Amino acid sequence: MMTLANFVKSKRKEVNLTQEEFAERAGVALTVVRKIEQGKENLNLEKVNQVLKMFGHTLAPVSSREITKSENKRDYEAGRYIL
């Protein structure tokens, strides 16, 4: 599985865009892209989804009961969303 940070960074690089160019095209602040790619924990889901829509994806809130594997649960609780 790939973390949100790795997914966004690799997809951005696939389309050969800098963080600044990507943020502008996604309609978010540069700091949003930087925080996502750095794996920061306290992210605005709406802004994350604006970024992910560039690649045809979105994230939805998940309750801890829906996460069955303990490794995924730890990642989710630490803010490291898994794609």
Side-chain angles (χ1 to χ4, degrees):
M1 285 195 208
M2 184 177 279
T3 65
L4 174 64
N6 290 337
F7 177 80
V8 170
K9 188 173 187 175
S10 68
K11 289 293 192 179
R12 177 182 59 79
K13 287 184 175 191
E14 280 179 24
V15 295
N16 201 29
L17 293 174
T18 64
Q19 287 181 331
E20 294 86 356
E21 293 167 332
F22 182 74
E24 185 176 322
R25 290 189 187 190
V28 298
L30 173 60
T31 55
V32 171
V33 174
R34 286 184 175 160
K35 286 179 180 181
I36 292 170
E37 290 190 6
Q38 291 172 358
K40 299 291 183 182
E41 296 179 10
N42 199 9
L43 300 171
N44 178 306
L45 186 59
E46 185 177 326
K47 297 294 183 185
V48 170
N49 279 331
Q50 271 184 262
V51 168
L52 290 177
K53 283 180 185 176
M54 296 287 291
F55 308 117
H57 293 276
T58 58
L59 281 178
V62 179
S63 72
S64 59
R65 284 183 281 170
E66 295 178 69
I67 302 172
T68 57
K69 291 185 179 178
S70 61
E71 179 180 328
N72 287 347
K73 184 176 180 181
R74 281 193 307 274
D75 285 336
Y76 177 80
E77 289 171 347
R80 294 184 297 266
Y81 297 97
I82 304 296
L83 295 176

